[in-house]
Amino acid sequence: MENRIINIDHQLLRTSEMKYVIEATKTNAGTRKLPMTEDVFRCFQAIIEDREKPRFEKMVDGHTGFLFTDKDGMPLVAMHWEHRFNHMVKRYNDIFRV
């Protein structure tokens, strides 16, 4: 946050055994540094400020402070986001008949 850079050098995964792991990005192209625009910076600030203190801070391979968690306090993985975005697209298409 201090340098306003999003450093993408690992990914959170959930295995078929439902275990959470942190791994390197799949490709070298996946490892990157993204500058934050002012809007993105403010959005992250708001997310951090509004984040409820978890009952317990989940640690995955030494990483903590996950911003988005499920009802059980477990970090959200790509599958969760894919499901949410698909739901939003479906709702939009249902409403606007696209």
Side-chain angles (χ1 to χ4, degrees):
M1 291 291 288
E2 192 174 299
N3 296 324
R4 298 188 182 204
I5 299 287
I6 299 171
N7 185 25
I8 301 171
D9 60 3
H10 57 277
Q11 59 182 331
L12 173 68
L13 303 171
R14 191 171 66 187
T15 67
S16 57
E17 294 84 28
M18 305 303 279
K19 181 182 176 198
Y20 289 79
V21 295
I22 301 284
E23 291 187 355
T25 56
K26 292 178 187 173
T27 66
N28 287 339
T31 301
R32 56 204 182 274
K33 293 179 186 282
L34 303 172
M36 280 191 233
T37 64
E38 184 62 30
D39 287 341
V40 169
F41 178 77
R42 284 196 309 259
C43 187
F44 270 108
Q45 270 186 321
I47 291 166
I48 292 166
E49 288 170 8
D50 294 344
R51 181 179 181 251
E52 289 185 30
K53 184 157 177 65
R55 291 176 294 174
F56 65 95
E57 189 70 57
K58 178 65 179 163
M59 182 178 288
V60 177
D61 294 337
H63 294 267
T64 61
F66 298 98
L67 296 182
F68 301 102
T69 57
D70 66 14
K71 62 182 173 28
D72 298 320
M74 301 303 289
L76 297 183
V77 295
M79 176 197 64
H80 293 109
W81 293 105
E82 182 178 351
H83 177 76
R84 287 179 177 196
F85 287 127
N86 286 340
H87 179 74
M88 285 186 270
V89 168
K90 182 183 179 325
R91 290 279 297 142
Y92 178 89
N93 289 339
D94 288 347
I95 291 168
F96 295 103
R97 306 279 189 249
V98 175

